Amino acid sequence: MPRVTIIGAGRVGSTLAQRLLEQYNVDVVLLDIAPDLPRAIALDLMQARALGGHDRQIIGTNDYWDTAGSDVIVIAAGLPRKPGMTREDLISVNARIVIDATRQALARSPEAALLVITNPLDVMTYLAWRASGLPPHRVMGMAGVLDTARFRHFIAEALAVSWHDVSALVIGTHGDTMVPLPRYATVHGIPLTELLEEEAIAEIVHRTQFGGAELVQLFRNGSAYQAPAAAAAQMVACLLGQRRQLLPASVPLQGAYGVEDLCIGVPIYLGAQGVEQVVELDLTKPERDAFERSVTALQEAIKTASYLVD
Ligand code: APR
């Protein structure tokens, strides 16, 4: 049975554990630094098994040795945002957590693929990649799938149609400079630009860019976790070979899009091998400029933290 370790048994980690167990037929190890918490969640989920129709195992632990032999390591440990904070405000505290978790987990599962959820996402993915020693195709950050889900939701809502009809794409960083691409959005094959006025599209783009902040405001003490967990579960299913998808993710770039030594959201083919291919889009000048603003913002954020893995 495939084995997935989730580091961080908070709201995102525990929701992801539940999704993986119930939908994707995998065993889960849930690790957290907090005493008893992962054991409590695992016990609760094991008891729910008798009501949920699956027979998978979940272990809750504080000990990295229990994670040995995992196929996928997911990092969801760290602090979430509070109202008024940007994702970048979390850099220094979360960087130390992510680097330590990566090193400890990979030492016990050297063949695993690594999926990062902790924010600021692209910076944490980059640091985790550097700390892991893994080849670039085995490391990725979950954000594009989530941002795209938000974009699709807002489009579906504006047109009062089912999300089933809506296909869309968001690239760039998982921050205020993210790049939703209306030119690549369609509703049952019809370009979004033929269905909505420019102003309405701009509103949807803006709400997507600040979709996370809107929820931080509403939650008051924490950030989104249902959609992030659902997005991560989808990516784990790809890594376990249950499906192969073309989706956006933050991955180490080594020349694609003219970017070197940086993790940022781009479309990729994700499958059992990991990042099987980066898809290079033929961006227009404004799209390219927006993507480059995203790259610049990220380079600055990475500068403040990369000494931690050097
Ligand atoms: N090792 C393991 N677990 C840790 C460590 C560590 N060094 N440090 C913190 N944790 C755990 C906390 O004990 C907590 O249980 O990480 C968990 C984080 O859970 P929450 O506070 O509920 O945060 P959550 O909403 O799950 O978000 C986690 O994902 O989406 C991002 O921005 C979000 O960076 C945040 C992360």
Side-chain angles (χ1 to χ4, degrees):
M1 191 52 62
R3 189 165 215 239
V4 177
T5 283
I6 303 168
I7 319 262
R11 297 211 282 187
V12 173
S14 56
T15 310
L16 173 61
Q18 182 186 353
R19 284 207 170 244
L20 290 175
L21 290 164
E22 290 179 356
Q23 292 181 354
Y24 294 101
N25 213 26
V26 297
D27 290 342
V28 173
V29 182
L30 197 53
L31 182 143
D32 201 283
I33 200 168
D36 293 335
L37 174 72
R39 270 185 292 281
I41 293 168
L43 182 58
D44 199 15
L45 284 168
M46 285 296 270
Q47 291 165 358
R49 264 192 342 175
L51 307 162
H54 70 86
D55 271 307
R56 304 279 57 83
Q57 294 290 328
I58 174 160
I59 298 171
T61 184
N62 302 117
D63 182 350
Y64 275 93
W65 282 112
D66 290 328
T67 70
S70 295
D71 302 284
V72 180
I73 307 284
V74 183
I75 302 199
L79 303 190
R81 278 194 285 173
K82 300 235 159 61
M85 286 174 92
T86 65
R87 292 186 181 90
E88 284 65 32
D89 290 333
L90 299 170
I91 288 185
S92 58
V93 53
N94 282 355
R96 287 185 170 80
I97 294 171
V98 166
I99 291 167
D100 178 62
T102 300
R103 287 186 174 143
Q104 300 242 42
L106 265 295
R108 275 86 173 178
S109 301
E111 304 297 321
L114 185 62
L115 174 63
V116 179
I117 306 181
T118 306
N119 276 312
L121 188 274
D122 306 278
V123 182
M124 294 304 131
T125 307
Y126 175 79
L127 296 176
W129 171 47
R130 294 273 310 275
S132 70
L134 287 170
H137 70 281
R138 300 293 287 162
V139 182
M140 66 226 70
M142 185 294 296
V145 176
L146 167 63
D147 297 328
T148 295
R150 288 178 173 154
F151 194 23
R152 290 171 68 203
H153 166 72
F154 294 137
I155 292 168
E157 194 177 57
L159 291 167
V161 296
S162 163
W163 61 268
H164 281 282
D165 292 341
V166 182
S167 179
L169 181 62
V170 177
I171 61 169
T173 182
H174 184 53
D176 300 350
T177 57
M178 82 175 61
V179 188
L181 291 170
R183 201 166 59 91
Y184 288 88
T186 58
V187 182
H188 212 91
I190 302 166
L192 179 65
T193 44
E194 292 181 23
L195 297 169
L196 283 176
E197 298 296 328
E198 218 171 285
E199 208 170 279
I201 294 176
E203 250 174 58
I204 291 173
V205 164
H206 184 267
R207 198 162 170 209
T208 303
Q209 286 166 324
F210 294 92
E214 182 177 356
L215 285 161
V216 168
Q217 239 11 75
L218 291 170
F219 276 119
R220 298 189 187 186
N221 194 16
S223 52
Y225 59 101
Q226 291 288 355
Q234 199 179 94
M235 293 178 74
V236 170
C238 293
L239 289 169
L240 296 176
Q242 295 188 7
R243 56 166 85 129
R244 184 171 186 267
Q245 285 196 272
L246 199 172
L247 45 74
S250 184
V251 296
L253 292 186
Q254 296 180 307
Y257 289 89
V259 176
E260 296 273 358
D261 200 33
L262 193 81
C263 293
I264 193 162
V266 290
I268 58 161
Y269 286 98
L270 187 64
Q273 302 310 311
V275 182
E276 294 179 2
Q277 193 189 325
V278 171
V279 178
E280 288 216 52
L281 301 173
D282 191 10
L283 298 174
T284 62
K285 171 91 172 56
E287 289 165 350
R288 178 92 225 167
D289 290 347
F291 184 75
E292 272 161 18
R293 277 195 293 279
S294 220
V295 169
T296 307
L298 208 50
Q299 278 163 336
E300 280 163 25
I302 282 178
K303 253 191 244 159
T304 65
S306 46
Y307 74 95
L308 290 165
V309 272
D310 287 338

